[in-house]
Amino acid sequence: MAAKPRVAVTRLIPEAGLDLLRTRCDVQVWEGDLPPSGDALHTLLEGADAALTLLTEKIDGALLDRHPTIRVVSNFAVGFDNVDVDAATARGVAVCNTPGVLTAATAEFAFTLLMAASRRVVEAATYVRDGKWQTWGPKLLLGQDIVGATLGIVGFGRIGKELAKMATGFNMTILANDAYQDPTAEAEYGMTYVELDDLLARSDFVSLHVALTPETRHMISTREFGIMKPTAVLINAARGPVVDTDALVTALRNGDIFAAGLDVTDPEPLPVDHPLVTLPNCIVVPHIASATVTTRDAMAELAARNLLAVLDGETPEVIVNPEVLKSGSPA
Ligand code: DGY
């Protein structure tokens, strides 16, 4: 009887995904709370046919060369900036991700941050906890209106579109910027495509939903904060390095923008004494936009199904580099 394929899983993911893998594979899981260090990762990957990875693992050509038995890297995330896809493709290694199943959870969390930052929810709760609440105040903790405001969505893919649908319920004017303009989107979502600078100048809320690429790294920096309204709120539920951290600190300190709500930061995690953590007009949460029970189950199952399909020589539901299948590799 042929040996079961060996699968390395770089963190404890929901059982739904592990159970699927265990039906057919010999599964080794890194059970630490923190990501495996370099050596531990190499030990885990030794002899593996497939790796189910997290966004905390950097998968590059050198790592794949050291583990040439790996045929698929199935990332437990929609983002895959942690994987050098070109290096994987050059080695015939399939790269998969988990789009779709986390769209609603991520969009609703971006909207949660939008509401919390504009209405100063965390600052207000801290005010009460700190024993500062003495009376009702006409000018106490004033925020920014959401209903009827203008929302600028940078990156109008699945998550950006879902956010637009939610914003419609708040009667918001929706602007979007994207390198690719979907010809039916304006009619379907009641939004308008604009240039980035136009979006920044007109929006009361700017919400980032682009993938991290060389083009999007620091796409929001000092110049862009200079264009934004002083009442604007920035939301980042994409990737931390899309925003220039130092420029954001300066903008928040100087009142160039009103507030920020950050699910992601650069670096991650941020030190507890970092200005973005301590500034009252900034909310930082630990990269949890997709963190609902059902969404994480669905991500685990999709990542497992993708991985198994590649091992079976089939086309997975989602693959980032389908050309590796066409060339006859990696099966
Ligand atoms: C992703 O999927 O890319 C998120 O950042 C984590 O859900």
Side-chain angles (χ1 to χ4, degrees), residues 55 76-80 98 102 106 237-239 264 287 290 296 299:
L55 51 84
F76 177 84
V78 63
F80 49 86
T98 63
L102 47 68
T106 306
R239 284 291 182 267
V264 291
H287 203 149
S290 67
R296 289 287 165 87
M299 289 167 67

Side-chain angles (χ1 to χ4, degrees), residues 11-77:
R11 206 87 63 78
L12 211 43
I13 60 166
E15 287 301 317
L18 292 177
D19 287 348
L20 262 179
L21 295 175
R22 284 182 180 129
T23 54
R24 317 226 315 265
C25 304
D26 169 14
V27 182
Q28 311 285 326
V29 183
W30 174 257
E31 298 200 354
D33 289 334
L34 297 178
S37 66
D39 283 351
L41 182 61
H42 286 307
T43 305
L44 182 74
L45 295 176
E46 208 53 62
D49 299 290
L52 195 151
T53 52
L54 271 58
L55 51 84
T56 43
E57 275 71 70
K58 185 167 150 41
I59 308 295
D60 59 14
L63 181 132
L64 293 172
D65 284 341
R66 187 153 164 189
H67 301 285
T69 49
I70 292 177
R71 288 187 278 156
V72 51
V73 172
S74 186
N75 218 32
F76 177 84

Side-chain angles (χ1 to χ4, degrees), residues 38 45 104 142 148 156 169 254-255 258:
L45 295 176
L142 304 185
F156 205 60
N254 293 350
F258 182 74

Side-chain angles (χ1 to χ4, degrees), residues 111-124:
F111 211 86
T112 302
L113 283 175
L114 181 158
M115 298 185 86
S118 59
R119 297 305 307 272
R120 303 171 68 173
V121 173
V122 174
E123 196 183 348

